[in-house]
Amino acid sequence: MFPVRRSESRINVPHDNAELDKVADIVAKAAPEADRGDQFPWTGIRAVHAGGFLSGTVGAAFGGRGETLVDTAHVLAALGRGDPSVALITAMTLYTHLGEASRNRWPQALYRRILEETKTRPVLLNAARVEPELGSPARGGLPSTLARRTGNGWSISGRKRFVTGALGLTYFLVWATTDETPQRVGTFVVPADSRGINIIQNWNSLGMRASGSHDVEFDAVEIPHEDVIDLTDISSGTQDNLAHAGMTLALTAIYLGVAEAARDNFIRFAHERVPANLGYPVARTERFINLAGEIDLLVSGARQIIFDGLNHGLADGEKMIRSRLLAGRQLKEAVQIAVGALGNPGLGADLGLERNFRDIQSVLVHAPQEDTSVAMLGRAALQRGAPAPTPATLNPRAETISSDPIRKAG
């Protein structure tokens, strides 16, 4: 499936569709228990790591396979069929390595050390960006989390929200503002075993329960001076939603996996359900034939949209946003049809559709959220359709003066 460089190193273990399906099956079998409990989904994560899927995007320059965003989306879709929470935790680590492969931003000694750790155990990385007051950085603004200069490095203090995989992370990538003059903003690499970190286990969501996206407090957490990424002037520290649109679309592949699992659960029910008054499976009835066709149209169509965008439109941020919205809406509708068609069996936990339904609700929750994304497309469309500028529009003050009745009378 993916071009690889063979090596004895864990970060170079090659994989193929069969290996990916095997890992996804382990993840799927562990998913119900992970969904019911409040523990970190280690069974699924360890299977992902053992299969070599937690480090596929490590760059070739670092001895990795250098898998692309498209490769990543295929992996996330497969894992999403098993447990989208495990897929989401995996995505955060894969995206971190993907960014380093293309931009080479990390302190090299630290990054090399992380890769060494990755050979023997799962090393999970995720950005801690959202804050209680700020909300999502996708809507603009700068963090109140503060990085103070100390004699030995930095002292990090602040509270972050929705930190996916918080209980299992190896490093928190904390977005913070410095106390310097002038201030700067950057991402501070904080080991999860540092003193002063308090994980507040308040994740109580409808779906994606095993993701453990808890709040995290950092109270004067000390890190070395060099362990910071992209430290820059605050004027350039805002999030560029268009630049990240491709990664957001690839994240939608997780929910493609959810909808494909829901489709499979629906089809399995249709073949297994034999009402006494029929004497044969409902899969042979016209109603279920049409329902299966409608569900497949939406789900398979969403797959085409996602991978067409990733394969042919990565340079077009608007296309990525549009593809993500269309695919996400279709996936939600497909699962809704499947659940609604089956009545009580669809709402029961045994079939699996109930969990699919809860998990799919998060498909358009990731930043930039649906309303922000639609507004971006709307502004772009209005700008494209704007009339040519006139002297009045080039000088709004002139128009205001000329339309003022008092000034006219004078």
Side-chain angles (χ1 to χ4, degrees):
M1 179 179 177
F2 307 126
V4 299
R5 291 171 49 189
R6 296 184 180 272
S7 167
E8 295 303 316
S9 166
R10 168 59 60 187
I11 62 173
N12 272 329
V13 172
H15 56 75
D16 53 24
N17 284 332
E19 180 68 16
L20 181 56
D21 289 342
K22 177 182 175 181
V23 170
D25 185 58
I26 295 172
V27 170
K29 289 177 180 176
E33 182 178 355
D35 179 74
R36 288 191 297 268
D38 57 359
Q39 303 299 310
F40 190 80
W42 279 118
T43 299
I45 290 297
R46 289 191 180 106
V48 173
H49 173 257
F53 296 100
L54 199 56
S55 53
T57 53
V58 172
F62 298 100
R65 291 193 300 270
E67 291 172 4
T68 67
L69 191 60
V70 179
D71 299 330
T72 300
H74 281 290
V75 170
L76 296 180
L79 297 178
R81 288 194 292 273
D83 186 345
S85 292
V86 169
L88 184 61
I89 294 167
T90 299
M92 300 300 100
T93 295
L94 289 176
Y95 280 5
T96 301
H97 290 307
L98 189 64
E100 180 61 7
S102 62
R103 296 181 60 190
N104 198 26
R105 305 169 300 162
W106 278 63
Q108 290 303 293
L110 173 60
Y111 190 65
R112 294 280 184 185
R113 188 165 69 247
I114 286 174
L115 295 185
E116 283 299 312
E117 295 178 45
T118 299
K119 294 176 184 179
T120 58
R121 66 187 180 97
V123 174
L124 299 176
L125 314 166
N126 193 13
R129 293 177 63 85
V130 181
E131 295 185 347
E133 292 80 19
L134 175 67
S136 171
R139 299 182 184 274
L142 293 169
S144 61
T145 300
L146 192 64
R148 296 180 176 87
R149 287 296 297 267
T150 69
N152 298 319
W154 301 97
S155 174
I156 315 297
S157 295
R159 179 165 176 162
K160 297 295 185 178
R161 301 199 68 195
F162 307 127
V163 184
T164 294
L167 288 171
L169 293 182
T170 317
Y171 293 91
F172 294 94
L173 311 182
V174 183
W175 193 46
T177 306
T178 69
D179 66 343
E180 304 165 306
T181 303
Q183 286 186 301
R184 294 186 290 172
V185 65
T187 299
F188 296 80
V189 183
V190 179
D193 59 0
S194 301
R195 295 172 61 180
I197 297 176
N198 178 31
I199 299 175
I200 302 163
Q201 298 187 45
N202 58 354
W203 179 246
N204 188 23
S205 180
L206 173 69
M208 304 295 285
R209 291 177 178 174
S211 70
S213 302
H214 302 299
D215 283 16
V216 182
E217 283 184 339
F218 301 89
D219 182 12
V221 180
E222 297 277 348
I223 66 168
H225 176 261
E226 63 272 15
D227 288 359
V228 59
I229 304 167
D230 287 343
L231 194 56
T232 184
D233 182 85
I234 59 172
S235 62
S236 57
T238 55
Q239 180 167 311
D240 185 346
N241 291 323
L242 278 177
H244 292 91
M247 299 179 77
T248 307
L249 177 59
L251 207 64
T252 308
I254 293 174
Y255 301 93
L256 169 64
V258 173
E260 288 177 339
R263 179 188 59 191
D264 293 347
N265 287 330
F266 174 87
I267 291 172
R268 176 164 55 86
F269 175 89
H271 285 293
E272 293 176 353
R273 173 62 174 154
V274 182
N277 63 325
L278 279 182
Y280 54 84
V282 295
R284 291 163 56 184
T285 67
E286 196 67 25
R287 175 172 180 264
F288 272 81
I289 290 171
N290 289 332
L291 284 168
E294 189 67 30
I295 292 167
D296 186 71
L297 173 66
L298 293 168
V299 175
S300 297
R303 174 174 277 276
Q304 289 181 222
I305 290 170
I306 291 169
F307 286 101
D308 175 73
L310 293 173
N311 279 305
H312 305 294
L314 279 177
D316 186 344
E318 285 183 35
K319 180 175 181 177
M320 296 295 96
I321 292 172
R322 198 176 296 114
S323 297
R324 181 241 180 156
L325 291 175
L326 289 172
R329 289 175 176 181
Q330 287 187 197
L331 295 171
K332 283 185 71 173
E333 184 181 356
V335 178
Q336 175 65 56
I337 291 172
V339 172
L342 301 190
N344 282 331
L347 295 173
D350 292 342
L351 184 60
L353 267 174
E354 177 262 352
R355 178 163 55 87
N356 300 149
F357 176 79
R358 287 189 287 103
D359 288 337
I360 202 68
Q361 303 309 311
S362 298
V363 63
L364 295 176
V365 168
H366 303 285
Q369 293 173 326
E370 189 171 9
D371 62 325
T372 302
S373 299
V374 170
M376 291 169 66
L377 295 177
R379 281 191 291 268
L382 289 169
Q383 186 175 3
R384 286 193 298 271
T390 64
T393 58
L394 290 173
N395 186 1
R397 177 173 171 77
E399 182 182 16
T400 302
I401 293 175
S402 64
S403 62
D404 187 334
I406 298 176
R407 295 297 297 268
K408 286 180 180 178

